[in-house]
Amino acid sequence: MKRYFVKELIHRSIKFRGIKLIRKVALFTVLIATIGFMVACKKAPEKPPVTSKQQDINGKVVDNTDGTNIFKNLSDTIKEDIKNGGTSLKIDAKVQVPKTSKVSVVTVKPDGIDQARVDKIIDTFMKGKQLYKPNELMTKKGIQDYITLMNAYSLPNNENDEIKKSDGDPIDPVAIGGSTKARLTKQVEPGASTMYQKEAQELLSKAPESPERKAAAKTLENVDESDLKSNGKTYKGFHGKSLNVVVDSGKGYDEELYTSTSNSLKSSMARIINHDSTQVYKFHEYTGSSARGMKMSLEEVKKLAQDTLNSIGIADLKLTEINLATLMPLTKEDDPNKMNQAYGLWFTRDVAGVPTTLDLAEEKLQNDESYGYERLFMLIDDTGVIEFHWQSPAKVTGTISSDAEIKPFNDIMEVFKKQFFIRYAQSGKNNENTTYDINRITFGMMRVNVKGKEDEFTMVPVWDFFGSKTSKDGKVDHTYNSFMTINAIDGSIIDRTQGY
């Protein structure tokens, strides 16, 4: 698997569309996903439901006719320790709630990235520059960059790092909490690193000095892929529109745009990469410190990001999270504690003052097509926006309630504590002790499936519980991978990988 991955990165003569990798990776993610516990039985609401066509939703959503301030008298922090067998649940969490006394429940549907949006993206990032087709053969510099990366990943500080490919197929940029979609880790086979180095050196001697340039248009192209057969199963190919173009950055690398949208609009994304492939970042939570080596202030970074959204015409996504991104050391001489940093900014949908909670879980494939959760990421340093990734744009189609009643927070906590041990308790299995630390409890919105309607979805308010897990295998960060998502309307458990 590793050898195949590295050779694909080097052998650019093999045509390899980003769409295919996205689908293959998504399929693999589904195979290893764990299905969470679901609560099936719900008490019928005492108040009449809001009239709506979504019968499974309106049976739960009722108007907050009392006009109660939903977050009144809610504590800023929650502390509690509970033990069950070999499992310890330690809650020392900040409670994050929006500054609003009303919660709206709205319906949404996939919106896609059409030609008009592609034109705006190109005008924003590549205006006035000649567009070219991506090179099928890597140059000497490109191959040397990958040799540099392979050497870098053999360094002690980098052996276990999860990464994103700088010039490859689009993946979630932040490697925090849960599995990301691509890794380039330490070789597990004896002598493997040497073998890949040898292959790369052979290619290096034959590689061209400079890229072969072929002019490209900015028009989206139709894509109709054949089905993919794997392990006796058939997965439908991608059908939709895509565009992959580059421009010469003038800095020794190409700035690349890749975008694709399926005919259903569900599988939809656009990404810009505008930095050298050897620039690999590690992402961390932002705790208030400035990005090392940057002259731009965080406020200037926020303004640039907002100006970028305005230029593309994105008005319904708001800044949700900020990360610090640190460059990965490439040589033994590079001090990990002195590497330059950048800011990573996450944007999610805002529903009448309540932001969509950032969670990097991906919805399971449904009917052979995945539908990722809507979010937008920008990585910014002093040169500007060096990465832009926008996936699953949506649009609001209706309002079920502009002021929905939600369950009291104490009721939500009781559900969490009870269901947590049903899902995670080890019961002393193999004498293994596992500790779950909850340090953040967040109220926000989440997209869920509308029962019986494949192309209709609802944004509902939810409570999420974030933190970390510590066991004999070490510590696993769950900063953006919720341990549990609870529907604030009725207290049911939502499985983010299932979408309901």
Side-chain angles (χ1 to χ4, degrees), residues 43 45-47 60 62 64 66 68-75 78 95 97 103 404-417 441-443 461-465 486-492:
K43 182 180 179 180
E46 297 177 358
K47 298 181 181 180
K60 301 174 183 178
V62 297
N64 180 26
D66 297 334
T68 306
N69 185 336
I70 57 175
F71 301 122
K72 187 177 181 180
N73 299 325
L74 184 61
S75 176
I78 299 292
V95 181
V97 296
V103 176
E405 182 179 287
I406 65 171
K407 293 184 74 67
F409 179 69
N410 289 341
D411 291 356
I412 297 296
M413 284 303 299
E414 289 304 312
V415 171
F416 171 71
K417 288 183 289 186
I441 303 172
T442 301
F443 182 90
V462 296
W463 288 97
D464 277 292
F465 298 78
I486 301 178
N487 189 329
I489 298 295
D490 67 350
S492 61

Side-chain angles (χ1 to χ4, degrees), residues 56 61 72 92 114 197 326 328 338 422:
D56 61 317
V61 178
K72 187 177 181 180
D92 187 357
D114 59 13
Q197 293 278 7
T326 304
M328 182 184 73
K338 295 182 179 179
I422 292 176

Side-chain angles (χ1 to χ4, degrees), residues 24 26 29 212 368 376 497-498:
K24 290 178 181 178
T29 303
E212 180 183 352
D368 294 328
L376 188 150
T497 65
Q498 293 287 329

Side-chain angles (χ1 to χ4, degrees), residues 447-468:
R447 187 198 77 210
V448 297
N449 300 340
V450 173
K451 185 177 180 180
K453 297 180 182 292
E454 289 186 6
D455 298 321
E456 295 186 25
F457 305 86
T458 300
M459 299 294 296
V460 300
V462 296
W463 288 97
D464 277 292
F465 298 78
F466 299 96
S468 62

Side-chain angles (χ1 to χ4, degrees), residues 160-181:
N160 297 316
D161 289 329
E162 297 179 347
I163 70 163
K164 54 186 175 49
K165 293 183 293 177
S166 296
D167 71 342
D169 304 285
I171 63 173
D172 282 326
V174 176
I176 298 177
S179 299
T180 51
K181 296 183 178 61

Side-chain angles (χ1 to χ4, degrees), residues 2-134:
K2 175 62 187 242
R3 180 173 182 177
Y4 175 72
F5 176 63
V6 174
K7 288 186 72 175
E8 278 190 326
L9 294 180
I10 296 174
H11 288 270
R12 302 292 283 187
S13 59
I14 300 176
K15 292 186 178 180
F16 188 70
R17 287 189 179 271
I19 295 174
K20 283 184 177 284
L21 181 58
I22 295 172
R23 292 184 54 76
K24 290 178 181 178
V25 170
L27 294 172
F28 174 74
T29 303
V30 170
L31 294 176
I32 64 173
T34 300
I35 306 303
F37 178 83
M38 302 295 292
V39 175
C41 298
K42 312 289 180 266
K43 182 180 179 180
E46 297 177 358
K47 298 181 181 180
V50 178
T51 301
S52 170
K53 290 187 291 186
Q54 283 76 39
Q55 295 301 319
D56 61 317
I57 296 295
N58 70 12
K60 301 174 183 178
V61 178
V62 297
D63 282 328
N64 180 26
T65 54
D66 297 334
T68 306
N69 185 336
I70 57 175
F71 301 122
K72 187 177 181 180
N73 299 325
L74 184 61
S75 176
D76 293 335
T77 59
I78 299 292
K79 292 187 178 182
E80 190 169 357
D81 287 355
I82 310 173
K83 189 174 179 64
N84 185 331
T87 302
S88 296
L89 173 61
K90 295 185 177 182
I91 305 173
D92 187 357
K94 296 179 180 179
V95 181
Q96 299 178 330
V97 296
K99 295 179 180 180
T100 181
S101 61
K102 295 182 178 180
V103 176
S104 293
V105 177
V106 301
T107 56
V108 295
K109 70 177 183 179
D111 200 17
I113 300 175
D114 59 13
Q115 187 65 56
R117 282 178 164 169
V118 170
D119 291 345
K120 288 183 178 179
I121 292 172
I122 291 175
D123 287 344
T124 299
F125 292 102
M126 301 173 167
K127 189 171 184 178
K129 297 181 179 179
Q130 175 62 55
L131 301 180
Y132 297 104
K133 296 179 180 180

